[in-house]
C-alpha cells in the first residue's frame, strides 16, 4: 500500500499553517497529501459546530495548496461523524497525521484542542501538531534542526528513528536532548546546593549514557549530524527552551497511552511543530 501524509483542516487559520507544513513534508518525502475535513454527524447541536458547514472546506484547501505548490499530489475529502474516529478511519496508510494544535472549536486560551489530543491517544502513526503562529517566529528564532527528547535510560525507539529519518530528509542536524536529574546537594531547607564539580561529574555520567545509547543510531544514519545534549533540569522545561530554535520537536509516548506530563507541558508552550510518536 502506498503511503500518504494526512492533514486535517477546518475553517480556522490554524489549519492553514498545518496544511502548509504538511504540503512541504509531502513534497520532501515524495508522497501524496490527503486533505480531510470532518463535519459533525446529523443532529449534533454544539456551539463549536455553528454555523452549518455547507462550504467545500477541503476543496478550498486543495486549491490553495495546488497554487502554492504546483508539484504537489493532493486530494481532498469531506467526512461526516465524530472527528477523531473519522480521521482514524482514513489513516491506515498514513506516514503521519498533521493537525493544528487547536481547531476552530474550543474556547480562548485552550492550549491543545480535544481533536488533537484524541488523535494522539488513538493513532499508531506519528502525529504532528503545528502551532498557528509558526510563520511569525521572533527575530531570535533560528530553526535549523530537529530536536528529539529522549530518556537514555528508557528511550522511545520509535521517536528516535522518526527524528533521525526526518533530520536526514530535511538535511539538518539532529539535536538529541537528554534530561537528567541534578545531583543531590543536601537540604534545600538549609540552603545547600550541589557544587560545580558535582554538576560536572553528573553531566559527564549522563553524557556517556547518551553517547552509548546513540551509537547504533549513528551507524544506521551515518549522514546525520548529531548534537548530543544533556540538561540537568526538568525535562519539560528543557524541551520548551529548545523548541524556539527547532524546525521540529519529536517526543515519544507509550503505546496505548496518551501523552504524558512532559509532552502535555511541551504542547502548552509549543513554539514549533511537535511530532508525538508512539
Amino acid at each position: 500500500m502506498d503511503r500518504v501524509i494526512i492533514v486535517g483542516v477546518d475553517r480556522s487559520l490554524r489549519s492553514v499553517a498545518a496544511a502548509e507544513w504538511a504540503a512541504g513534508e509531502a513534497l520532501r518525502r515524495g508522497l501524496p497529501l490527503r486533505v480531510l475535513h470532518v463535519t459533525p454527524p446529523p443532529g449534533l447541536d454544539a456551539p463549536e459546530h455553528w454555523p452549518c458547514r455547507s462550504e467545500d472546506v477541503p476543496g478550498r484547501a486543495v486549491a490553495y495548496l495546488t497554487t502554492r505548490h504546483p508539484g504537489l499530489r493532493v486530494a481532498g475529502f469531506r467526512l461526516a461523524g465524530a472527528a477523531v474516529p473519522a480521521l482514524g478511519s482514513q489513516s491506515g496508510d498514513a506516514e503521519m497525521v498533521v493537525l493544528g494544535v487547536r481547531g476552530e472549536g474550543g474556547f480562548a486560551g485552550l492550549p491543545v484542542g480535544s481533536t488533537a489530543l484524541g488523535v494522539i491517544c488513538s493513532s499508531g502513526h506519528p502525529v504532528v501538531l503545528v502551532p498557528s503562529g509558526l510563520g511569525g517566529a521572533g527575530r531570535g528564532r533560528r530553526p535549523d534542526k530537529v530536536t528529539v527528547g529522549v530518556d537514555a535510560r528508557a528511550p522511545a525507539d520509535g521517536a528516535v528513528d522518526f527524528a533521525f529519518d526526518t533530520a536526514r530528509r530535511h538535511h539538518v542536524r539532529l539535536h538529541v536532548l537528554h534530561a537528567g536529574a541534578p545531583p543531590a546537594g543536601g537540604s534545600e531547607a538549609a540552603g545547600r546546593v550541589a557544587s560545580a564539580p558535582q554538576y560536572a561529574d553528573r553531566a559527564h555520567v549522563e553524557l556517556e549514557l547518551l553517547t552509548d545509547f546513540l551509537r547504533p543510531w549513528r551507524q544506521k544514519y551515518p549522514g546525520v549530524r548529531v548534537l548530543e545534549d544533556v540538561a540537568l533540569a526538568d525535562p519539560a522545561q528543557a524541551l520548551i527552551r529548545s523548541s524556539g530554535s527547532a524546525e521540529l520537536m519529536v517526543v515519544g509516548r507509550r503505546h496505548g497511552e496518551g501523552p504524558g506530563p512532559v509532552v502535555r507541558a511541551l504542547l502548552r508552550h509549543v513554539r514549533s511543530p511537535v511530532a508525538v510518536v508512539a
Side-chain angles (χ1 to χ4, degrees):
M1 180 183 294
D2 291 338
R3 306 295 283 174
V4 64
I5 290 178
I6 287 177
V7 59
V9 300
D10 55 24
R11 299 172 304 174
S12 70
L13 290 177
R14 301 181 187 98
S15 72
V16 175
E20 277 282 6
W21 192 93
E25 198 65 20
L27 288 169
R28 187 174 285 110
R29 294 173 181 260
L31 296 175
L33 178 64
R34 184 181 299 160
V35 179
L36 302 179
H37 172 65
V38 183
T39 58
L44 183 60
D45 187 22
E48 62 266 28
H49 299 303
W50 297 340
C52 178
R53 299 175 180 177
S54 59
E55 70 267 36
D56 183 11
V57 174
R60 195 165 63 238
V62 168
Y64 169 79
L65 293 174
T66 301
T67 301
R68 295 267 297 170
H69 309 282
L72 181 67
R73 293 178 290 158
V74 56
F77 300 91
R78 185 173 178 175
L79 311 173
V84 174
L87 291 170
S89 70
Q90 297 293 313
S91 303
D93 55 349
E95 182 90 354
M96 67 182 70
V97 179
V98 183
L99 299 168
V101 173
R102 278 183 53 203
E104 61 184 295
F107 54 86
L110 182 70
V112 186
S114 58
T115 297
L117 283 176
V119 172
I120 287 174
C121 294
S122 62
S123 179
H125 307 287
V127 178
V128 180
L129 302 186
V130 181
S132 58
L134 182 60
R139 188 174 299 175
R141 179 183 171 90
R142 190 169 63 88
D144 62 350
K145 63 179 181 289
V146 172
T147 294
V148 57
V150 303
D151 178 352
R153 291 179 171 80
D157 286 346
V160 176
D161 195 28
F162 180 86
F164 265 93
D165 182 60
T166 302
R168 176 180 64 85
R169 294 176 185 274
H170 285 230
H171 304 289
V172 297
R173 60 180 172 151
L174 176 61
H175 174 208
V176 184
L177 177 59
H178 164 64
S187 169
E188 291 186 6
R192 294 196 300 270
V193 297
S195 66
Q198 286 175 311
Y199 268 93
D201 289 345
R202 173 60 62 85
H204 179 72
V205 169
E206 298 295 324
L207 185 59
E208 283 191 332
L209 184 70
L210 179 60
T211 298
D212 290 343
F213 161 68
L214 287 175
R215 192 167 289 113
W217 292 104
R218 286 178 176 272
Q219 294 171 352
K220 182 177 180 180
Y221 294 95
V224 175
R225 295 175 293 130
V226 180
L227 169 63
E228 298 179 5
D229 188 11
V230 168
L232 300 183
D234 174 72
Q237 291 303 314
L239 287 169
I240 290 167
R241 285 196 297 268
S242 183
S243 70
S245 61
E247 286 190 8
L248 179 69
M249 301 292 295
V250 183
V251 289
R253 70 170 178 86
R254 295 183 184 277
H255 283 283
E257 297 182 7
V262 172
V263 177
R264 287 179 178 269
L266 174 63
L267 293 175
R268 282 196 297 270
H269 302 280
V270 65
R271 290 179 285 171
S272 59
V274 177
V276 183
V277 185

